[in-house]
Amino acid sequence: MAQQRTTGADGGSQTLARGLTVLALIGESPTPLTVADLSARMGLHRSMVYRLVRTLESHGFVLRTASGELELGVRLVALARNVARALHVAAAPVLAELADGLGMTAFVVAFDGEAAVTLSTAEPRGVDATVAQRPGSRHSIDRGAPGRVIRSQLDPVAHPPRAFEVSSDEIIPGLSSVAVPLRVPDGTPSSLAVVYITHEYEVDAIAATLTAAAERIVRALR
């Protein structure tokens, strides 16, 4: 997949395409990647991938941990906050209330043309263990509750819409998610979701709370 993204690019455009592929692979991976992992997935020599990572790192788009694992950098998080600014503003108080009320991480996901992308998130306060959901993280619309909600909006014939979707251990082992449609005025396929450490919860009640919250966000956008 990564090699297909760079096919047809040359010179500077090829370098840019490869850099964007690096960001996409890091953001989409459910587990941290290393330069060696990227090299294998992209089919490029490790030294070339290392130079790409170093450039992205120097501009704050990639962060490398002491163990060599790669994460999306804080600059990407800042950029993500400026995407769909009106939606961020409308969703922020609702997400905070959801997170605190349910004791779960709440987040808004939208379709970027290729994948489901987390736009905005809120973690519960006063909870010992929380699940981090990074703005800018991406995953397939075929996996996870938020992705499947978006998939049903894109192709309701092949994937009939449901009131809500539930997933467990699909994106990250040990985590579950509940998601509902978020029908924003501009028509971008979107969902409102929570993620939590897998445990027995009343899913119908969570979905009802999410649906009411989604309606509040949509009203604030009108």
Side-chain angles (χ1 to χ4, degrees):
M1 181 177 178
Q3 289 175 313
Q4 291 176 346
R5 289 178 180 170
T6 60
T7 299
D10 53 42
S13 61
Q14 184 182 65
T15 301
L16 174 59
R18 286 172 172 169
L20 293 173
T21 298
V22 166
L23 292 176
L25 288 173
I26 294 172
E28 292 169 1
S29 176
T31 56
L33 300 178
T34 64
V35 169
D37 295 329
L38 288 173
S39 175
R41 296 191 184 194
M42 297 176 69
L44 297 175
H45 194 276
R46 189 178 302 187
S47 62
M48 182 177 294
V49 176
Y50 178 79
R51 288 196 296 272
L52 290 169
V53 169
R54 282 291 299 153
T55 299
L56 292 168
E57 190 179 13
S58 68
H59 288 278
F61 292 114
V62 168
L63 172 67
R64 180 165 26 192
T65 68
S67 61
E69 295 177 337
L70 304 172
E71 301 176 353
L72 295 180
V74 292
R75 192 167 185 185
L76 270 181
V77 174
L79 290 175
R81 288 183 181 138
N82 287 320
V83 176
R85 185 182 293 275
L87 179 55
H88 279 282
V89 172
V94 179
L95 289 176
E97 184 177 317
L98 272 175
D100 289 341
L102 295 174
M104 303 171 180
T105 298
F107 57 107
V108 169
V109 179
F111 184 60
D112 73 347
E114 286 188 350
V117 181
T118 298
L119 292 183
S120 188
T121 182
E123 295 181 25
R125 294 169 293 186
V127 176
D128 292 335
T130 63
V131 179
Q133 180 74 14
R134 298 173 299 176
S137 61
R138 308 169 79 246
H139 62 82
S140 168
I141 60 172
D142 295 315
R143 299 176 59 218
R148 285 199 294 275
V149 167
I150 288 173
R151 184 181 65 177
S152 69
Q153 295 173 49
L154 291 168
D155 191 351
V157 175
H159 306 285
R162 300 178 179 177
F164 62 92
E165 293 279 354
V166 179
S167 62
S168 294
D169 304 321
E170 289 188 38
I171 306 300
I172 300 177
L175 299 184
S176 295
S177 181
V178 180
V180 301
L182 178 61
R183 304 193 184 282
V184 296
D186 68 4
T188 300
S190 306
S191 64
L192 176 65
V194 290
V195 62
Y196 53 92
I197 297 171
T198 300
H199 189 71
E200 290 295 327
Y201 285 104
E202 182 54 57
V203 174
D204 288 343
I206 294 174
T209 300
L210 285 173
T211 299
E215 292 171 354
R216 287 174 55 199
I217 293 173
V218 172
R219 285 198 300 270
L221 288 168
R222 289 173 179 162

